[in-house]
Amino acid sequence: MAKLEHINSLQCAILICSDRAFSGVRPDETIPLLKERIEKLLFKVESTAIVPDERDKIRATLKWWIAEEIPLILTSGGTGLAPTDVTPETTLELISRRVPGMEEAMRASSLKILPNAMLSRGVVGVANNSLIINLPGNPKGAVENLEVLAPILDHAVRLIAGEKVDK
Protein backbone atom coordinates (compact mmCIF):
# COMPACT_ATOMS: atom_id res chain seq x y z
CA MET A 1 0.00 0.00 0.00
CA ALA A 2 2.87 2.42 0.68
CA LYS A 3 3.89 2.24 -2.97
CA LEU A 4 0.45 3.42 -4.12
CA GLU A 5 0.44 6.29 -1.62
CA HIS A 6 3.85 7.29 -2.97
CA ILE A 7 2.51 7.27 -6.53
CA ASN A 8 -0.59 9.25 -5.58
CA SER A 9 1.66 12.23 -4.95
CA LEU A 10 2.58 12.14 -8.68
CA GLN A 11 6.19 13.14 -8.26
CA CYS A 12 8.37 14.17 -11.17
CA ALA A 13 12.05 14.92 -11.76
CA ILE A 14 13.57 16.89 -14.64
CA LEU A 15 17.07 16.28 -16.00
CA ILE A 16 18.74 18.59 -18.52
CA CYS A 17 21.53 16.90 -20.49
CA SER A 18 23.61 19.70 -21.99
CA ASP A 19 27.29 20.59 -21.95
CA ARG A 20 26.47 24.24 -22.60
CA ALA A 21 23.82 24.56 -19.90
CA PHE A 22 25.99 22.66 -17.41
CA SER A 23 29.00 24.91 -18.04
CA GLY A 24 26.90 28.08 -17.94
CA VAL A 25 27.59 29.00 -21.58
CA ARG A 26 23.84 28.89 -22.23
CA PRO A 27 21.29 29.54 -19.50
CA ASP A 28 18.76 26.73 -19.09
CA GLU A 29 15.28 27.77 -20.19
CA THR A 30 13.78 24.30 -20.28
CA ILE A 31 13.36 23.45 -16.58
CA PRO A 32 11.00 26.38 -15.82
CA LEU A 33 8.89 25.67 -18.91
CA LEU A 34 8.60 21.93 -18.23
CA LYS A 35 7.98 22.55 -14.54
CA GLU A 36 5.16 24.97 -15.26
CA ARG A 37 3.47 22.55 -17.67
CA ILE A 38 3.92 19.38 -15.62
CA GLU A 39 2.59 21.06 -12.48
CA LYS A 40 -0.59 21.96 -14.39
CA LEU A 41 -0.96 18.20 -14.84
CA LEU A 42 -0.80 17.89 -11.02
CA PHE A 43 2.69 16.41 -10.88
CA LYS A 44 4.98 17.84 -8.20
CA VAL A 45 8.54 18.47 -9.37
CA GLU A 46 10.64 16.93 -6.61
CA SER A 47 14.06 17.38 -8.17
CA THR A 48 15.86 18.99 -11.10
CA ALA A 49 19.41 18.66 -12.33
CA ILE A 50 21.65 19.79 -15.15
CA VAL A 51 24.44 17.45 -16.21
CA PRO A 52 26.92 17.47 -19.10
CA ASP A 53 26.42 15.22 -22.13
CA GLU A 54 28.29 12.38 -20.43
CA ARG A 55 26.84 8.92 -20.03
CA ASP A 56 28.17 8.39 -16.50
CA LYS A 57 26.66 11.67 -15.23
CA ILE A 58 23.32 11.04 -16.93
CA ARG A 59 23.26 7.42 -15.71
CA ALA A 60 24.10 8.35 -12.11
CA THR A 61 21.30 10.92 -11.91
CA LEU A 62 18.73 8.64 -13.51
CA LYS A 63 19.73 5.72 -11.27
CA TRP A 64 19.37 7.90 -8.20
CA TRP A 65 15.85 9.00 -9.17
CA ILE A 66 14.85 5.45 -10.12
CA ALA A 67 16.05 4.26 -6.69
CA GLU A 68 14.07 7.08 -5.09
CA GLU A 69 11.00 5.76 -6.96
CA ILE A 70 10.24 9.02 -8.71
CA PRO A 71 7.30 7.95 -10.90
CA LEU A 72 7.97 10.33 -13.81
CA ILE A 73 11.42 11.35 -15.00
CA LEU A 74 11.73 13.83 -17.86
CA THR A 75 15.03 14.36 -19.63
CA SER A 76 15.72 17.11 -22.14
CA GLY A 77 18.66 17.18 -24.51
CA GLY A 78 21.08 14.77 -26.06
CA THR A 79 18.57 13.10 -28.37
CA GLY A 80 19.94 14.15 -31.76
CA LEU A 81 22.74 12.88 -33.99
CA ALA A 82 25.72 14.79 -32.60
CA PRO A 83 28.52 12.62 -31.17
CA THR A 84 27.72 13.97 -27.69
CA ASP A 85 24.02 13.07 -27.92
CA VAL A 86 24.01 10.02 -25.64
CA THR A 87 20.81 10.38 -23.61
CA PRO A 88 18.87 7.66 -25.50
CA GLU A 89 21.70 5.12 -25.19
CA THR A 90 22.03 5.83 -21.49
CA THR A 91 18.28 5.54 -20.98
CA LEU A 92 18.23 2.22 -22.85
CA GLU A 93 20.81 0.85 -20.39
CA LEU A 94 18.44 1.49 -17.50
CA ILE A 95 14.96 0.65 -18.75
CA SER A 96 13.41 -2.80 -18.82
CA ARG A 97 10.57 -1.96 -21.23
CA ARG A 98 10.22 0.60 -24.00
CA VAL A 99 7.00 2.43 -24.71
CA PRO A 100 7.28 2.88 -28.49
CA GLY A 101 3.81 4.36 -28.91
CA MET A 102 4.81 7.37 -26.83
CA GLU A 103 8.06 7.75 -28.79
CA GLU A 104 6.17 7.54 -32.09
CA ALA A 105 3.53 10.03 -30.98
CA MET A 106 6.16 12.63 -30.07
CA ARG A 107 8.04 12.24 -33.35
CA ALA A 108 4.87 12.24 -35.48
CA SER A 109 3.61 15.41 -33.82
CA SER A 110 6.99 17.14 -34.09
CA LEU A 111 7.35 16.18 -37.72
CA LYS A 112 4.26 18.26 -38.51
CA ILE A 113 6.15 21.28 -37.16
CA LEU A 114 9.79 20.66 -38.11
CA PRO A 115 11.36 18.29 -40.66
CA ASN A 116 14.40 17.83 -38.40
CA ALA A 117 12.14 15.95 -35.97
CA MET A 118 12.83 12.79 -37.94
CA LEU A 119 16.37 12.96 -36.52
CA SER A 120 15.11 12.74 -32.93
CA ARG A 121 16.09 9.55 -31.13
CA GLY A 122 14.27 10.13 -27.86
CA VAL A 123 13.38 7.01 -25.91
CA VAL A 124 10.49 6.37 -23.52
CA GLY A 125 10.65 3.45 -21.14
CA VAL A 126 10.03 1.92 -17.75
CA ALA A 127 12.77 1.40 -15.16
CA ASN A 128 11.41 -0.26 -12.01
CA ASN A 129 8.46 2.01 -11.12
CA SER A 130 9.68 5.05 -13.06
CA LEU A 131 8.60 6.22 -16.50
CA ILE A 132 11.52 7.93 -18.24
CA ILE A 133 10.79 10.24 -21.18
CA ASN A 134 13.57 11.70 -23.35
CA LEU A 135 12.46 15.09 -24.68
CA PRO A 136 14.29 17.25 -27.23
CA GLY A 137 16.86 19.77 -25.99
CA ASN A 138 15.10 22.76 -27.54
CA PRO A 139 12.85 24.30 -24.85
CA LYS A 140 9.94 24.81 -27.24
CA GLY A 141 10.32 21.29 -28.63
CA ALA A 142 10.51 19.79 -25.15
CA VAL A 143 7.24 21.42 -24.10
CA GLU A 144 5.53 20.53 -27.40
CA ASN A 145 6.53 16.88 -26.97
CA LEU A 146 5.37 16.86 -23.34
CA GLU A 147 2.07 18.31 -24.51
CA VAL A 148 1.57 15.35 -26.86
CA LEU A 149 1.93 12.93 -23.93
CA ALA A 150 0.05 15.02 -21.36
CA PRO A 151 -3.33 13.28 -21.76
CA ILE A 152 -1.94 9.86 -20.78
CA LEU A 153 0.83 10.60 -18.26
CA ASP A 154 -1.24 10.15 -15.10
CA HIS A 155 -2.73 6.93 -16.49
CA ALA A 156 0.66 5.54 -17.54
CA VAL A 157 2.32 6.32 -14.21
CA ARG A 158 -0.51 4.69 -12.27
CA LEU A 159 -0.42 1.57 -14.45
CA ILE A 160 3.33 1.23 -13.91
CA ALA A 161 2.72 1.46 -10.15
CA GLY A 162 0.32 -1.47 -10.39
CA GLU A 163 -2.85 0.49 -9.75
CA LYS A 164 -6.06 -0.72 -11.33
CA VAL A 165 -6.94 2.15 -13.63
CA ASP A 166 -10.16 2.21 -15.63
CA LYS A 167 -9.89 4.84 -18.30
Side-chain angles (χ1 to χ4, degrees):
M1 187 64 171
K3 191 171 281 189
L4 294 181
E5 290 171 350
H6 179 75
I7 293 303
N8 285 335
S9 64
L10 293 176
Q11 297 170 323
C12 177
I14 302 170
L15 177 63
I16 305 302
C17 307
S18 168
D19 289 336
R20 292 181 296 169
F22 180 77
S23 65
V25 170
R26 174 184 64 90
D28 173 66
E29 299 172 2
T30 308
I31 289 174
L33 293 174
L34 288 176
K35 185 175 185 206
E36 178 183 352
R37 180 59 186 120
I38 203 70
E39 287 180 347
K40 286 181 181 173
L41 297 173
L42 303 179
F43 283 84
K44 181 177 182 335
V45 177
E46 289 293 322
S47 189
T48 63
I50 301 173
V51 298
D53 291 307
E54 298 173 15
R55 288 174 89 146
D56 60 332
K57 302 282 195 275
I58 297 167
R59 183 184 311 107
T61 306
L62 291 176
K63 284 177 94 170
W64 173 259
W65 288 341
I66 292 164
E68 290 291 310
E69 297 186 2
I70 302 291
L72 178 62
I73 300 171
L74 305 176
T75 73
S76 175
T79 60
L81 294 179
T84 57
D85 289 337
V86 296
T87 305
E89 289 78 14
T90 307
T91 301
L92 286 169
E93 292 175 14
L94 300 173
I95 63 173
S96 58
R97 295 184 294 162
R98 282 180 87 163
V99 188
M102 294 174 80
E103 297 171 9
E104 294 161 9
M106 288 191 299
R107 278 188 276 278
S109 178
S110 293
L111 196 51
K112 294 176 186 173
I113 300 167
L114 184 69
N116 288 353
M118 66 181 81
L119 302 177
S120 177
R121 301 177 311 107
V123 169
V124 178
V126 178
N128 294 337
N129 289 315
S130 298
L131 178 64
I132 301 174
I133 301 172
N134 296 161
L135 300 168
N138 175 282
K140 183 176 181 285
V143 173
E144 288 169 352
N145 277 251
L146 180 60
E147 199 63 42
V148 171
L149 304 180
I152 54 86
L153 286 177
D154 176 76
H155 185 74
V157 165
R158 291 179 187 281
L159 284 173
I160 292 165
E163 288 187 35
K164 300 291 184 207
V165 181
D166 295 324
K167 212 173 200 185

